[in-house]
Amino acid sequence: MSRYERVEELNIMKVIAETLNRCNDMTTMLQTVLEKLLELTKLDAGWVFLLDHPEEYVLAAHHGLPPALSWGDYKPMCSGDCYCLSRYRNGKLNQPVNIIECKRLNEAIQHAWGDTNGITHHATIPLGDGAESFGLLNVASPRKEKFSQEELTLLQSLGFQIGTAIRRTRLYQDERRRAESFEKLNQLAGFLWSADDFYELREILQREGQKTFGWSSVGCYIESHIGTKPAFVMSDEVRLHEDLAVIPITREKAVRGAVWIEPQESTSFQPSDDEFLIALGRHLSLVYENINLKEKRQELLLHEERKRLARDLHDSVNQKLFSLSLTAKGAKEMVSKYDSSLGELMDDMWSMSQQSLKEMRSLIWQLRPVGLEEGLLSAMKKYGEHLGLCVQFDMERLPDWSRQAEETLWRISQEAMNNVAKHANTKEVTVHLFDTEGGAGMTVRDRGSGFQIEADDDRRTLGLISMKERAELLGGKLSVRSEPGAGTTIDVFLPYRRERSSEHEN
């Protein structure tokens, strides 16, 4: 190689290096450097294939392609296979190859796709930075069937320069994408922390996540609240695939739920997204804890309000009813000697005051149930004793339900036992508690007198309506079966998933 040729080669490498350093956009960089490379090496045509996966390739840049390869929006270059790609995948193309007869050109000639402009062969140069390979650079000229060793050495050096620039550009794009993702996460987090319950959290994830990140779909599962646990929600670590990211919601090192996200149809998750998705998982776990604390605070406030109301009823209405009872009893003893009919009225008044006093005490007990803090079974048993009932429990194990589910079943069982005490003419009640993957269930059964549901009186109908409404508030169902002389059975089922209106689900 002459001194002039050496200087020319160094000048080409200098110009290519300067061209590569001007741009951080992959597409623009590859197209610009390919055109400059062809200009400096006095070659006519070239194209770059990038391979992120062994079986997939992308025509990332091209210049000077003949009509035989450029027809149909470069269809011959964007589909099918060729010798250079096959050798690259098989690990047999690690150095520049002097000449490869082009399968795509042969097919173009065979099918008469157009003029090849005299191009029949091309040289192939792998693009890499010494540690990783990214794709192939192909160059050609009309009627050129051989490249000298000097030309191949220069092309190899240029291929290394381009490969290094590809690695740098990808790192830059990953960092830029990471920064943009965390900026968007900051926006999304503001919405997430405004959620008052788990259903609002799911809606915010679906609405704001799709708006902010363009996610195609978002799924959410939270134990005992939203959804049935999918089989893939097992790990306490973020799992990342091209078309799906699974993010656990944890509390005290245990998985309490998960969110799974599908990216935009035209994109896929990258390994660089892992850090951002882990940060999203931390936000979700903290929001989960915050919502739990809010619910406990609301339950505490409700409990305190019930205690206050129970205390007020005890100190005012209950005491007045007790005084009325004593007054009626004393008045009866005074007037019965002189007027028997008035004595009977006083006796009725005393009986009514005693009954009202008993019902008031029962109401106070319901507002401030002794034993619920010790568990659902304890509360049921003590309330049954308060009503003079013997409560038998039937279950395989003690279910672990949410506070909301226990509260609802507790209130329904109260009404059911009240009905037994008032109407069933029996002192025995059986309560069957069970749970499934789908929800919590309870059956309250007595062997009392039973009734015809259609012919029921207004008071009993209101009680049944109240029980049904409580179950339906949690998306559950309640049914009543009864026949005269055959007792009554009340079945309740509360699903772990509560559906809202369809507009919230979409």
Side-chain angles (χ1 to χ4, degrees):
M1 178 186 294
S2 67
R3 182 176 180 182
Y4 172 79
E5 291 173 330
R6 179 60 178 165
V7 171
E8 183 67 19
E9 180 180 299
L10 291 174
N11 183 60
I12 291 174
M13 294 181 66
K14 175 178 177 293
V15 172
I16 292 298
E18 291 173 348
T19 303
L20 290 170
N21 288 330
R22 287 195 193 106
C23 186
N24 286 315
D25 179 77
M26 183 74 72
T27 301
T28 304
M29 180 193 72
L30 289 176
Q31 186 63 39
T32 303
V33 78
L34 176 63
E35 293 175 7
K36 181 62 67 174
L37 184 152
L38 294 175
E39 176 188 342
L40 294 172
T41 57
K42 298 179 175 56
L43 297 171
D44 289 80
W47 57 97
V48 175
F49 289 134
L50 291 184
L51 289 87
D52 289 329
H53 305 283
E55 300 303 321
E56 299 177 7
Y57 68 91
V58 175
L59 179 64
H62 57 83
H63 182 74
L65 293 179
L69 298 180
S70 61
W71 68 271
D73 196 20
Y74 301 94
K75 185 176 180 180
M77 305 297 291
C78 298
S79 60
D81 211 345
C82 59
Y83 301 133
C84 60
L85 287 176
S86 297
R87 294 185 65 180
Y88 177 86
R89 293 190 184 105
N90 294 333
K92 298 179 180 179
L93 209 165
N94 300 315
Q95 301 291 328
V97 177
N98 188 8
I99 288 297
I100 292 182
E101 187 177 2
C102 183
K103 180 182 177 183
R104 298 178 194 274
L105 284 167
N106 290 342
E107 290 180 348
I109 295 172
Q110 180 182 350
H111 296 94
W113 287 342
D115 193 351
T116 64
N117 292 346
I119 296 176
T120 57
H121 298 73
H122 65 77
T124 297
I125 303 93
L127 301 177
D129 63 351
E132 185 178 357
S133 297
F134 305 108
L136 298 171
L137 165 66
N138 293 329
V139 292
S141 277
R143 291 167 293 280
K144 186 175 180 63
E145 298 183 359
K146 187 175 180 61
F147 283 76
S148 68
Q149 188 59 47
E150 289 77 9
E151 288 177 313
L152 290 177
T153 300
L154 173 61
L155 289 172
Q156 183 178 18
S157 299
L158 296 177
F160 182 81
Q161 280 187 307
I162 296 172
T164 303
I166 291 174
R167 164 61 68 86
R168 173 182 58 79
T169 302
R170 286 187 172 178
L171 289 175
Y172 170 81
Q173 290 177 340
D174 286 345
E175 284 300 312
R176 182 176 178 180
R177 177 173 177 171
R178 176 180 175 275
E180 291 175 350
S181 295
F182 274 94
E183 182 179 352
K184 292 178 180 179
L185 175 59
N186 187 49
Q187 299 174 17
L188 178 61
F191 291 105
L192 294 178
W193 281 93
S194 67
D196 290 323
D197 57 44
F198 296 115
Y199 303 96
E200 189 174 0
L201 175 62
R202 176 181 61 182
E203 290 169 2
I204 289 173
L205 268 171
Q206 292 173 338
R207 182 182 67 249
E208 300 301 331
Q210 291 173 343
K211 184 189 301 182
T212 305
F213 290 93
W215 296 329
S216 62
S217 67
V218 181
C220 183
Y221 155 76
I222 297 177
E223 63 177 5
S224 302
H225 288 85
I226 298 175
T228 301
K229 185 176 182 179
F232 55 76
V233 179
M234 297 175 62
S235 174
D236 59 354
E237 297 180 352
V238 171
R239 282 177 293 159
L240 186 61
H241 309 281
E242 288 185 2
D243 56 353
L244 183 69
V246 182
I247 306 168
I249 299 174
T250 60
R251 183 187 183 194
E252 298 176 351
K253 298 182 179 180
V255 177
R256 305 296 184 183
V259 170
W260 51 97
I261 302 168
E262 294 182 7
Q264 291 177 324
E265 293 182 0
S266 59
T267 62
S268 61
F269 286 116
Q270 304 296 326
S272 58
D273 291 322
D274 188 67
E275 187 177 356
F276 146 70
L277 292 171
I278 290 174
L280 174 58
R282 290 172 182 162
H283 274 288
L284 290 171
S285 297
L286 290 172
V287 171
Y288 171 89
E289 184 67 28
N290 184 57
I291 292 175
N292 269 318
L293 291 174
K294 281 183 180 180
E295 289 188 347
K296 288 183 178 179
R297 182 174 181 273
Q298 290 172 351
E299 289 176 4
L300 180 60
L301 290 174
L302 180 60
H303 181 66
E304 291 299 319
E305 180 60 20
R306 285 174 175 169
K307 285 174 63 177
R308 184 197 64 78
L309 182 57
R311 185 170 56 250
D312 290 346
L313 288 174
H314 178 272
D315 294 342
S316 58
V317 181
N318 187 66
Q319 295 298 329
K320 289 178 180 179
L321 284 173
F322 182 69
S323 298
L324 177 62
S325 173
L326 292 178
T327 301
K329 185 176 181 180
K332 172 192 171 185
E333 293 177 354
M334 293 176 61
V335 302
S336 58
K337 299 177 181 179
Y338 308 101
D339 190 335
S340 60
S341 59
L342 188 57
E344 291 177 0
L345 288 174
M346 290 294 106
D347 191 48
D348 290 342
M349 184 182 296
W350 179 81
S351 297
M352 290 175 61
S353 65
Q354 286 291 102
Q355 183 63 31
S356 297
L357 186 61
K358 183 178 179 180
E359 291 181 358
M360 178 57 66
R361 288 172 177 167
S362 179
L363 178 59
I364 293 172
W365 205 97
Q366 292 180 48
L367 287 171
R368 187 171 57 185
V370 179
L372 185 56
E373 67 278 1
E374 299 175 4
L376 181 60
L377 299 187
S378 176
M380 287 183 179
K381 184 175 180 62
K382 290 183 178 181
Y383 189 65
E385 292 173 353
H386 169 75
L387 297 176
L389 300 176
C390 177
V391 183
Q392 300 292 328
F393 293 100
D394 174 20
M395 72 184 84
E396 294 182 358
R397 63 183 181 85
L398 185 61
D400 182 18
W401 292 327
S402 68
R403 177 79 177 184
Q404 200 170 25
E406 282 197 350
E407 175 75 13
T408 298
L409 293 177
W410 159 240
R411 295 300 176 185
I412 291 174
S413 70
Q414 280 185 312
E415 185 62 35
M417 285 189 283
N418 278 332
N419 286 339
V420 173
K422 291 179 181 179
H423 308 293
N425 297 318
T426 182
K427 298 297 182 181
E428 295 185 357
V429 180
T430 300
V431 178
H432 174 47
L433 297 172
F434 62 94
D435 64 344
T436 67
E437 291 186 357
M442 178 179 72
T443 299
V444 181
R445 180 183 297 110
D446 69 75
R447 301 296 183 185
S449 54
F451 61 94
Q452 288 288 347
I453 296 177
E454 296 81 4
D456 192 23
D457 60 27
D458 292 340
R459 289 174 298 172
R460 188 180 294 157
T461 299
L462 286 174
L464 294 178
I465 291 174
S466 173
M467 288 190 287
K468 286 183 178 180
E469 287 177 346
R470 287 186 183 277
E472 289 170 357
L473 280 174
L474 296 189
K477 293 182 179 181
L478 182 143
S479 62
V480 181
R481 294 172 285 139
S482 184
E483 293 182 8
T488 302
T489 300
I490 296 175
D491 296 302
V492 190
F493 187 77
L494 306 178
Y496 289 142
R497 179 175 184 173
R498 291 186 292 170
E499 297 293 342
R500 291 187 174 184
S501 62
S502 58
E503 65 180 7
H504 289 118
E505 293 296 324
N506 295 329

